[in-house]
C-alpha cells in the first residue's frame, strides 16, 4: 500500500498538469460481520465520555431549551448539545449515519455516509492508514494473538481536473484469513466472526470462478470468428463508443449549467453487461463482494497478493 500511494503522487507531480491538475480523495472502511464501519470515523465509546462540570452543564441545558423553543430549530446544533449531555445520544446519532451500501444507476456501487479525505502526499495517506488500523477490529484465537476479524478496504479516488474530467479508483483490500473453528478454538462472538469471514471469502472465490468461466467462454467464441465478423464487430464497437462520447459531452454540458457532477466514480453496472447466457455472478452474496464488484470486472485490473508462511 505505501508503495502504491508513493508511486501515485510521484507520477502526479511529474505529469504536465502537476498537482493542481488532479484531486485525490481517500476513504477507509472495514467489513465486520457483514456490516460496514468507517475506520476514520469510529463510534463513540461510553467509557471515554467525560461528564460536563455543573456550570457547563447548566449552560448547555439552557441553550438547548432555547433552541427547542425557537420557531426555526437548528437540528444539527440540537443533536450536538444532546450528545454533550448524554453519551447514549452520541451513540444513537452515530448509528443513524452508519455507512450503507447501495446501487447507483450512474456511479455503480456506492457507500453512503463514508467520510472522504483530500490527500496530497504519501504522508497524508500514511496518517489515515495508521488511524484506521488503530480502529480495526482484532481478536485473539488459538492460532493468532492479534487476529484480524474484519476485511479492510482503503480506496483512493483520483479525479483529473484539467481538460475533460475523468475519474479512476484504486481499491486496496486487506482480507482477513479463513480459519477452521476446531483449530482456532473460537466460541461465542469469535465463532460468529469466523463464520462471516469464511462466508465472504467463499463468496469472493465463487465470483472469481464465475468471471473466469465467462472469460474462458468468450475467448473460445472469439477464436471461432472469421476476420469479416471481427471487422464488423469492431466497426460496431467504434460507433457505439462515438455515440457514448457524444452523450457524455452532452451530460457534462448540462451538469455545468446545474449544480455540478455527483461525487464518485461513474462506473455504471458492469456485472449486468457480462452476465448472459444464464451465467450468474453472486456479487450480492456478501457485502465484501458487492463493494468489490467494480474492482473485479468491467474495465478494472485485479491483482491478488498473498503472504504465505513456509
Amino acid at each position: 500500500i505505501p508503495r502504491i500511494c508513493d508511486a501515485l503522487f510521484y507520477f502526479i507531480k511529474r505529469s504536465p498538469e502537476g498537482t493542481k491538475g488532479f484531486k485525490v480523495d481517500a476513504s477507509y472502511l472495514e467489513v465486520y460481520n457483514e456490516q460496514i464501519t468507517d475506520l476514520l470515523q469510529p463510534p463513540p465509546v461510553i467509557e471515554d465520555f467525560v461528564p460536563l462540570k455543573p456550570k457547563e452543564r447548566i449552560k448547555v441545558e439552557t441553550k438547548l431549551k432555547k433552541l427547542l423553543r425557537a420557531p426555526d430549530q437548528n437540528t444539527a446544533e440540537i443533536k450536538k448539545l444532546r450528545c454533550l449531555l448524554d453519551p447514549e445520544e452520541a451513540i444513537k446519532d452515530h448509528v443513524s449515519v452508519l455507512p450503507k451500501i447501495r446501487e447507483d444507476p450512474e456511479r455503480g456501487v456506492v457507500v453512503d455516509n463514508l467520510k472522504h479525505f483530500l490527500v496530497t502526499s504519501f504522508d497524508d495517506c500514511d496518517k489515515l492508514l495508521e488511524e484506521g488500523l488503530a480502529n480495526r477490529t482484532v481478536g485473539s484465537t488459538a492460532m493468532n494473538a492479534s487476529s484480524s476479524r474484519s476485511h479492510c478496504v482503503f480506496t483512493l479516488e483520483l479525479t483529473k481536473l484539467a481538460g475533460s474530467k475523468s475519474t479512476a479508483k484504486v481499491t486496496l483490500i486487506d482480507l482477513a484469513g479463513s480459519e477452521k473453528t476446531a483449530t482456532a478454538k473460537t466460541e461465542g462472538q469469535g465463532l460468529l466472526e469466523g463464520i462471516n469471514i469464511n462466508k465472504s471469502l467463499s463468496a469472493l472465490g465463487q465470483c472469481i470462478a464465475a468471471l473466469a468461466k465467462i472469460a474462458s467462454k468468450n475467448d473460445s467464441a472469439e477464436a471461432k470468428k472469421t476476420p469479416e465478423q471481427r471487422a464488423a464487430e469492431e466497426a460496431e464497437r467504434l460507433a457505439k463508443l462515438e455515440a457514448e462520447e457524444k452523450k457524455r459531452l452532452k451530460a457534462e454540458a448540462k451538469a455545468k449549467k446545474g449544480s455540478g457532477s455527483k461525487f464518485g466514480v461513474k462506473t455504471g453496472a458492469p456485472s449486468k453487461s457480462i452476465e448472459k447466457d444464464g451465467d450468474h455472478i453472486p456479487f450480492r452474496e456478501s457485502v465484501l463482494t458487492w463493494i468489490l464488484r467494480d474492482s473485479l470486472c468491467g474495465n478494472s485490473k485485479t491483482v491478488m497478493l498473498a503472504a504465505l508462511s513456509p
Side-chain angles (χ1 to χ4, degrees):
I1 290 176
R3 285 181 181 177
I4 291 170
C5 295
D6 201 26
L8 176 65
F9 291 107
Y10 172 77
F11 285 112
I12 286 174
K13 284 176 184 176
R14 293 195 64 183
S15 68
E17 296 86 358
T19 52
K20 292 182 179 178
F22 295 90
K23 184 181 76 151
V24 183
D25 292 290
S27 63
Y28 203 8
L29 63 86
E30 75 170 354
V31 180
Y32 172 69
N33 282 345
E34 293 298 296
Q35 297 290 325
I36 300 172
T37 305
D38 190 343
L39 289 174
L40 302 175
Q41 200 174 13
V45 181
I46 293 179
E47 287 76 12
D48 297 338
F49 180 74
V50 180
L52 295 171
K53 293 177 181 178
K55 286 184 180 179
E56 291 176 348
R57 190 173 185 85
I58 290 166
K59 283 182 183 178
V60 172
E61 286 175 346
T62 306
K63 191 177 179 181
L64 180 60
K65 284 175 183 176
K66 283 182 181 178
L67 285 172
L68 290 170
R69 287 172 190 162
D72 299 325
Q73 292 186 356
N74 187 339
T75 314
E77 189 64 22
I78 289 170
K79 274 186 181 180
K80 187 180 175 182
L81 293 174
R82 280 178 171 165
C83 292
L84 284 172
L85 293 168
D86 185 5
E88 293 287 350
E89 282 292 331
I91 291 169
K92 283 179 186 176
D93 183 55
H94 182 84
V95 170
S96 66
V97 290
L98 280 175
K100 293 178 179 65
I101 188 169
R102 66 180 178 88
E103 197 83 26
D104 187 277
E106 289 185 0
R107 295 179 288 162
V109 179
V110 175
V111 180
D112 288 329
N113 302 326
L114 190 65
K115 203 166 184 179
H116 293 78
F117 292 84
L118 182 68
V119 288
T120 56
S121 65
F122 164 66
D123 290 335
D124 293 343
C125 295
D126 194 35
K127 285 175 186 174
L128 294 178
L129 283 165
E130 284 184 8
E131 184 184 336
L133 285 172
N135 297 321
R136 186 178 183 178
T137 307
V138 294
S140 178
T141 68
M143 297 292 292
N144 192 343
S146 56
S147 172
S148 301
R149 314 308 291 164
S150 64
H151 308 294
C152 285
V153 182
F154 184 72
T155 305
L156 293 169
E157 198 163 303
L158 176 68
T159 306
K160 186 182 178 184
L161 303 173
S164 59
K165 194 173 180 180
S166 57
T167 314
K169 187 166 65 171
V170 181
T171 307
L172 306 164
I173 311 102
D174 181 14
L175 297 172
S178 61
E179 60 183 33
K180 291 182 180 179
T181 308
T183 311
K185 296 180 182 177
T186 52
E187 55 183 19
Q189 184 66 18
L191 178 61
L192 179 64
E193 291 166 353
I195 289 168
N196 282 306
I197 288 169
N198 291 343
K199 175 193 170 186
S200 56
L201 291 175
S202 175
L204 179 60
Q206 288 172 10
C207 289
I208 292 170
L211 287 165
K213 182 183 174 184
I214 291 169
S216 176
K217 193 184 289 184
N218 291 342
D219 289 343
S220 178
E222 190 67 28
K224 293 176 182 177
K225 289 177 184 175
T226 62
E228 290 78 12
Q229 286 176 320
R230 289 197 183 95
E233 283 183 2
E234 182 63 17
E236 188 182 342
R237 187 183 70 83
L238 291 172
K240 192 177 178 181
L241 284 173
E242 190 179 346
E244 285 177 357
E245 182 64 16
K246 286 179 181 177
K247 190 178 176 181
R248 186 184 66 79
L249 292 171
K250 191 177 177 181
E252 279 185 3
K254 191 178 178 182
K256 284 179 183 177
K257 292 178 183 178
S259 58
S261 61
K262 294 179 181 179
F263 180 86
V265 181
K266 190 173 179 181
T267 55
S271 63
K272 290 181 183 177
S273 61
I274 58 173
E275 286 186 18
K276 51 189 176 182
D277 300 327
D279 293 314
H280 171 65
I281 304 166
F283 287 115
R284 294 206 184 191
E285 288 293 314
S286 165
V287 173
L288 176 70
T289 49
W290 195 3
I291 289 172
L292 300 183
R293 192 195 71 181
D294 294 342
S295 301
L296 292 171
C297 57
N299 63 346
S300 66
K301 293 186 184 295
T302 308
V303 177
M304 183 176 282
L305 304 175
L308 303 176
S309 169

